[in-house]
Short mmCIF file of all heavy atoms in Angstrom, two decimals:
data_model
loop_
_atom_site.label_atom_id
_atom_site.label_comp_id
_atom_site.label_asym_id
_atom_site.label_seq_id
_atom_site.Cartn_x
_atom_site.Cartn_y
_atom_site.Cartn_z
N TRP A 1 -22.26 -10.82 -8.73
CA TRP A 1 -22.96 -10.59 -7.43
C TRP A 1 -21.99 -9.89 -6.44
O TRP A 1 -22.38 -8.93 -5.71
CB TRP A 1 -23.39 -11.93 -6.91
CG TRP A 1 -23.97 -11.88 -5.45
CD1 TRP A 1 -24.94 -11.00 -4.99
CD2 TRP A 1 -23.56 -12.62 -4.35
NE1 TRP A 1 -25.17 -11.27 -3.73
CE2 TRP A 1 -24.31 -12.26 -3.25
CE3 TRP A 1 -22.55 -13.61 -4.16
CZ2 TRP A 1 -24.21 -12.81 -1.96
CZ3 TRP A 1 -22.46 -14.23 -2.89
CH2 TRP A 1 -23.29 -13.74 -1.76
N LEU A 2 -20.71 -10.27 -6.34
CA LEU A 2 -19.80 -9.74 -5.47
C LEU A 2 -19.57 -8.18 -5.84
O LEU A 2 -19.49 -7.39 -5.00
CB LEU A 2 -18.47 -10.46 -5.58
CG LEU A 2 -17.36 -10.10 -4.53
CD1 LEU A 2 -17.89 -10.15 -3.17
CD2 LEU A 2 -16.13 -11.02 -4.79
N LYS A 3 -19.53 -7.94 -7.16
CA LYS A 3 -19.38 -6.54 -7.64
C LYS A 3 -20.55 -5.64 -7.16
O LYS A 3 -20.43 -4.61 -6.73
CB LYS A 3 -19.22 -6.47 -9.11
CG LYS A 3 -19.03 -5.13 -9.71
CD LYS A 3 -18.84 -5.23 -11.25
CE LYS A 3 -18.63 -3.77 -11.74
NZ LYS A 3 -18.52 -3.92 -13.28
N SER A 4 -21.80 -6.26 -7.28
CA SER A 4 -23.02 -5.58 -6.89
C SER A 4 -22.98 -5.28 -5.40
O SER A 4 -23.26 -4.12 -4.96
CB SER A 4 -24.25 -6.46 -7.31
OG SER A 4 -25.42 -5.87 -6.69
N MET A 5 -22.56 -6.24 -4.59
CA MET A 5 -22.49 -6.03 -3.15
C MET A 5 -21.51 -4.97 -2.81
O MET A 5 -21.74 -4.08 -1.92
CB MET A 5 -22.21 -7.35 -2.34
CG MET A 5 -23.35 -8.35 -2.39
SD MET A 5 -23.05 -9.56 -1.11
CE MET A 5 -21.65 -10.38 -1.76
N HIS A 6 -20.32 -4.98 -3.47
CA HIS A 6 -19.23 -4.03 -3.20
C HIS A 6 -19.80 -2.63 -3.51
O HIS A 6 -19.59 -1.65 -2.71
CB HIS A 6 -18.09 -4.37 -4.11
CG HIS A 6 -16.90 -3.40 -3.84
ND1 HIS A 6 -16.14 -3.47 -2.77
CD2 HIS A 6 -16.38 -2.43 -4.65
CE1 HIS A 6 -15.16 -2.54 -2.74
NE2 HIS A 6 -15.34 -1.91 -3.96
N LYS A 7 -20.55 -2.38 -4.57
CA LYS A 7 -21.08 -1.16 -4.91
C LYS A 7 -22.11 -0.67 -3.88
O LYS A 7 -22.23 0.55 -3.65
CB LYS A 7 -21.71 -1.17 -6.32
CG LYS A 7 -20.75 -1.23 -7.50
CD LYS A 7 -21.48 -1.20 -8.79
CE LYS A 7 -20.55 -1.15 -9.98
NZ LYS A 7 -21.24 -1.17 -11.28
N ARG A 8 -22.83 -1.62 -3.24
CA ARG A 8 -23.80 -1.24 -2.29
C ARG A 8 -23.26 -1.17 -0.86
O ARG A 8 -24.01 -1.01 0.04
CB ARG A 8 -25.00 -2.30 -2.32
CG ARG A 8 -25.81 -2.15 -3.66
CD ARG A 8 -26.95 -3.19 -3.68
NE ARG A 8 -26.40 -4.57 -4.04
CZ ARG A 8 -26.81 -5.65 -3.44
NH1 ARG A 8 -27.55 -5.62 -2.37
NH2 ARG A 8 -26.24 -6.81 -3.79
N GLY A 9 -21.98 -1.38 -0.69
CA GLY A 9 -21.33 -1.32 0.62
C GLY A 9 -21.65 -2.46 1.48
O GLY A 9 -21.53 -2.39 2.71
N ILE A 10 -21.91 -3.66 0.88
CA ILE A 10 -22.17 -4.93 1.59
C ILE A 10 -20.93 -5.77 1.58
O ILE A 10 -20.41 -6.03 0.45
CB ILE A 10 -23.38 -5.62 1.02
CG1 ILE A 10 -24.61 -4.82 1.03
CG2 ILE A 10 -23.53 -6.99 1.76
CD1 ILE A 10 -25.81 -5.42 0.35
N ASN A 11 -20.47 -6.12 2.71
CA ASN A 11 -19.27 -6.94 2.89
C ASN A 11 -19.53 -8.35 3.17
O ASN A 11 -20.02 -8.63 4.29
CB ASN A 11 -18.27 -6.32 3.82
CG ASN A 11 -16.92 -7.06 3.88
OD1 ASN A 11 -16.42 -7.57 2.87
ND2 ASN A 11 -16.32 -7.17 5.01
N LYS A 12 -19.31 -9.34 2.32
CA LYS A 12 -19.40 -10.78 2.62
C LYS A 12 -18.14 -11.47 2.23
O LYS A 12 -17.45 -11.03 1.19
CB LYS A 12 -20.63 -11.35 1.83
CG LYS A 12 -21.95 -10.71 2.00
CD LYS A 12 -22.55 -11.12 3.32
CE LYS A 12 -23.94 -10.57 3.51
NZ LYS A 12 -24.54 -10.76 4.82
N GLU A 13 -17.80 -12.49 2.87
CA GLU A 13 -16.68 -13.37 2.46
C GLU A 13 -17.21 -14.37 1.46
O GLU A 13 -18.12 -15.22 1.75
CB GLU A 13 -16.13 -14.11 3.66
CG GLU A 13 -15.61 -13.22 4.83
CD GLU A 13 -15.18 -14.08 6.00
OE1 GLU A 13 -14.76 -15.25 5.84
OE2 GLU A 13 -15.33 -13.49 7.05
N VAL A 14 -16.70 -14.28 0.25
CA VAL A 14 -17.13 -15.10 -0.90
C VAL A 14 -15.94 -15.94 -1.41
O VAL A 14 -15.00 -15.39 -1.79
CB VAL A 14 -17.81 -14.33 -1.99
CG1 VAL A 14 -18.26 -15.22 -3.06
CG2 VAL A 14 -18.95 -13.45 -1.50
N LEU A 15 -16.06 -17.23 -1.28
CA LEU A 15 -14.99 -18.09 -1.67
C LEU A 15 -15.47 -19.23 -2.55
O LEU A 15 -16.64 -19.63 -2.51
CB LEU A 15 -14.35 -18.70 -0.38
CG LEU A 15 -13.83 -17.82 0.70
CD1 LEU A 15 -14.89 -17.49 1.77
CD2 LEU A 15 -12.59 -18.33 1.26
N SER A 16 -14.52 -19.74 -3.31
CA SER A 16 -14.79 -21.02 -4.04
C SER A 16 -13.81 -22.10 -3.50
O SER A 16 -12.72 -21.86 -2.98
CB SER A 16 -14.65 -20.83 -5.48
OG SER A 16 -13.28 -20.73 -5.89
N VAL A 17 -14.27 -23.32 -3.60
CA VAL A 17 -13.51 -24.45 -3.07
C VAL A 17 -13.51 -25.60 -3.99
O VAL A 17 -14.45 -25.84 -4.79
CB VAL A 17 -14.23 -24.90 -1.76
CG1 VAL A 17 -13.30 -25.90 -0.96
CG2 VAL A 17 -14.52 -23.74 -0.79
N ASP A 18 -12.38 -26.28 -4.08
CA ASP A 18 -12.17 -27.55 -4.74
C ASP A 18 -12.04 -27.44 -6.30
O ASP A 18 -12.19 -28.40 -7.01
CB ASP A 18 -13.29 -28.57 -4.40
CG ASP A 18 -13.30 -28.94 -2.88
OD1 ASP A 18 -12.28 -28.74 -2.25
OD2 ASP A 18 -14.32 -29.43 -2.43
N ASN A 19 -11.69 -26.23 -6.81
CA ASN A 19 -11.26 -26.14 -8.17
C ASN A 19 -10.32 -24.99 -8.33
O ASN A 19 -10.82 -23.82 -8.38
CB ASN A 19 -12.43 -26.00 -9.11
CG ASN A 19 -12.05 -26.26 -10.55
OD1 ASN A 19 -10.90 -26.09 -10.91
ND2 ASN A 19 -12.99 -26.75 -11.34
N HIS A 20 -9.02 -25.22 -8.26
CA HIS A 20 -8.04 -24.15 -8.14
C HIS A 20 -7.85 -23.44 -9.51
O HIS A 20 -7.07 -22.50 -9.63
CB HIS A 20 -6.77 -24.68 -7.57
CG HIS A 20 -6.82 -24.85 -6.13
ND1 HIS A 20 -6.53 -23.78 -5.23
CD2 HIS A 20 -7.20 -25.82 -5.34
CE1 HIS A 20 -6.70 -24.18 -4.00
NE2 HIS A 20 -7.16 -25.42 -4.02
N CYS A 21 -8.46 -23.86 -10.54
CA CYS A 21 -8.35 -23.04 -11.83
C CYS A 21 -9.28 -21.84 -11.72
O CYS A 21 -9.17 -20.90 -12.58
CB CYS A 21 -8.61 -23.83 -13.07
SG CYS A 21 -10.33 -24.39 -13.33
N ASP A 22 -10.10 -21.74 -10.71
CA ASP A 22 -10.79 -20.43 -10.48
C ASP A 22 -9.89 -19.31 -10.31
O ASP A 22 -10.22 -18.17 -10.81
CB ASP A 22 -11.64 -20.55 -9.13
CG ASP A 22 -12.87 -21.40 -9.39
OD1 ASP A 22 -13.19 -21.88 -10.52
OD2 ASP A 22 -13.56 -21.77 -8.29
N GLY A 23 -8.72 -19.54 -9.66
CA GLY A 23 -7.75 -18.35 -9.52
C GLY A 23 -7.22 -17.86 -10.83
O GLY A 23 -7.35 -16.65 -11.11
N PRO A 24 -6.62 -18.66 -11.69
CA PRO A 24 -6.20 -18.20 -12.98
C PRO A 24 -7.36 -17.59 -13.82
O PRO A 24 -7.14 -16.64 -14.52
CB PRO A 24 -5.68 -19.49 -13.59
CG PRO A 24 -5.18 -20.23 -12.51
CD PRO A 24 -6.17 -20.09 -11.35
N TYR A 25 -8.55 -18.23 -13.68
CA TYR A 25 -9.69 -17.67 -14.46
C TYR A 25 -10.01 -16.15 -13.99
O TYR A 25 -10.24 -15.33 -14.86
CB TYR A 25 -10.93 -18.51 -14.24
CG TYR A 25 -12.13 -18.03 -15.02
CD1 TYR A 25 -12.13 -18.11 -16.39
CD2 TYR A 25 -13.15 -17.42 -14.43
CE1 TYR A 25 -13.27 -17.73 -17.17
CE2 TYR A 25 -14.22 -16.97 -15.12
CZ TYR A 25 -14.31 -17.13 -16.52
OH TYR A 25 -15.38 -16.66 -17.24
N LEU A 26 -10.01 -15.94 -12.71
CA LEU A 26 -10.18 -14.62 -12.17
C LEU A 26 -9.13 -13.63 -12.73
O LEU A 26 -9.31 -12.46 -13.07
CB LEU A 26 -10.18 -14.51 -10.65
CG LEU A 26 -11.39 -15.16 -10.00
CD1 LEU A 26 -11.32 -14.92 -8.45
CD2 LEU A 26 -12.70 -14.65 -10.52
N TYR A 27 -7.85 -14.14 -12.72
CA TYR A 27 -6.75 -13.32 -13.26
C TYR A 27 -7.00 -12.99 -14.69
O TYR A 27 -6.84 -11.80 -15.12
CB TYR A 27 -5.37 -14.08 -13.05
CG TYR A 27 -4.23 -13.55 -13.97
CD1 TYR A 27 -3.73 -12.36 -13.66
CD2 TYR A 27 -3.84 -14.30 -15.05
CE1 TYR A 27 -2.60 -11.79 -14.49
CE2 TYR A 27 -2.82 -13.84 -15.89
CZ TYR A 27 -2.17 -12.70 -15.58
OH TYR A 27 -1.22 -12.23 -16.38
N LEU A 28 -7.31 -14.02 -15.52
CA LEU A 28 -7.50 -13.77 -16.98
C LEU A 28 -8.69 -12.83 -17.24
O LEU A 28 -8.72 -11.96 -18.12
CB LEU A 28 -7.63 -15.07 -17.70
CG LEU A 28 -6.41 -16.02 -17.71
CD1 LEU A 28 -6.75 -17.41 -18.19
CD2 LEU A 28 -5.29 -15.40 -18.52
N LYS A 29 -9.73 -13.04 -16.48
CA LYS A 29 -10.97 -12.29 -16.57
C LYS A 29 -10.66 -10.78 -16.29
O LYS A 29 -11.09 -9.92 -16.98
CB LYS A 29 -12.06 -12.83 -15.67
CG LYS A 29 -13.33 -12.10 -15.67
CD LYS A 29 -14.29 -12.85 -14.65
CE LYS A 29 -15.60 -12.09 -14.49
NZ LYS A 29 -16.43 -12.09 -15.72
N THR A 30 -9.98 -10.55 -15.15
CA THR A 30 -9.73 -9.17 -14.68
C THR A 30 -8.74 -8.49 -15.61
O THR A 30 -8.77 -7.31 -15.84
CB THR A 30 -9.17 -9.26 -13.37
OG1 THR A 30 -10.08 -9.93 -12.40
CG2 THR A 30 -9.01 -7.80 -12.74
N LYS A 31 -7.77 -9.23 -16.19
CA LYS A 31 -6.77 -8.72 -17.09
C LYS A 31 -7.35 -8.02 -18.26
O LYS A 31 -6.75 -7.00 -18.77
CB LYS A 31 -5.78 -9.78 -17.49
CG LYS A 31 -4.57 -9.27 -18.30
CD LYS A 31 -3.72 -10.44 -18.68
CE LYS A 31 -2.48 -9.98 -19.51
NZ LYS A 31 -1.64 -11.11 -19.95
N LYS A 32 -8.55 -8.34 -18.75
CA LYS A 32 -9.15 -7.80 -19.93
C LYS A 32 -9.52 -6.33 -19.60
O LYS A 32 -9.63 -5.53 -20.46
CB LYS A 32 -10.33 -8.63 -20.29
CG LYS A 32 -10.02 -9.96 -20.72
CD LYS A 32 -11.32 -10.79 -21.01
CE LYS A 32 -10.96 -12.23 -21.37
NZ LYS A 32 -12.26 -13.03 -21.59
N THR A 33 -9.92 -6.03 -18.36
CA THR A 33 -10.43 -4.67 -18.07
C THR A 33 -9.53 -3.91 -17.13
O THR A 33 -9.62 -2.62 -17.08
CB THR A 33 -11.84 -4.84 -17.41
OG1 THR A 33 -11.78 -5.62 -16.29
CG2 THR A 33 -12.81 -5.46 -18.39
N ASP A 34 -8.71 -4.56 -16.31
CA ASP A 34 -7.90 -3.87 -15.27
C ASP A 34 -6.61 -4.61 -15.12
O ASP A 34 -6.42 -5.40 -14.11
CB ASP A 34 -8.69 -3.83 -13.99
CG ASP A 34 -8.04 -2.85 -12.98
OD1 ASP A 34 -6.85 -2.51 -13.04
OD2 ASP A 34 -8.74 -2.43 -12.05
N PRO A 35 -5.56 -4.39 -15.94
CA PRO A 35 -4.34 -5.09 -15.95
C PRO A 35 -3.58 -4.93 -14.66
O PRO A 35 -2.98 -5.86 -14.16
CB PRO A 35 -3.50 -4.52 -17.07
CG PRO A 35 -4.56 -3.99 -18.01
CD PRO A 35 -5.73 -3.54 -17.14
N LYS A 36 -3.66 -3.77 -13.98
CA LYS A 36 -3.03 -3.55 -12.74
C LYS A 36 -3.59 -4.41 -11.60
O LYS A 36 -2.90 -5.05 -10.85
CB LYS A 36 -3.22 -2.05 -12.26
CG LYS A 36 -2.40 -1.70 -10.99
CD LYS A 36 -2.54 -0.22 -10.64
CE LYS A 36 -1.77 0.05 -9.34
NZ LYS A 36 -2.25 -0.72 -8.15
N LYS A 37 -4.90 -4.49 -11.56
CA LYS A 37 -5.60 -5.30 -10.52
C LYS A 37 -5.23 -6.84 -10.79
O LYS A 37 -5.02 -7.59 -9.90
CB LYS A 37 -7.13 -5.12 -10.54
CG LYS A 37 -7.75 -6.02 -9.42
CD LYS A 37 -9.32 -5.87 -9.48
CE LYS A 37 -9.70 -4.56 -8.90
NZ LYS A 37 -11.24 -4.49 -8.76
N ALA A 38 -5.16 -7.15 -12.10
CA ALA A 38 -4.86 -8.54 -12.46
C ALA A 38 -3.46 -8.87 -11.93
O ALA A 38 -3.29 -10.04 -11.49
CB ALA A 38 -4.88 -8.68 -14.01
#
């Protein structure tokens, strides 16, 4: 959803709360397609 909004020029603050393994998961997920961004 965030990717879709970014493509459409819509800026929203999107956060997750109370599970800090979300951060490593985003890192691992992004590393598969964009190591620099990861």
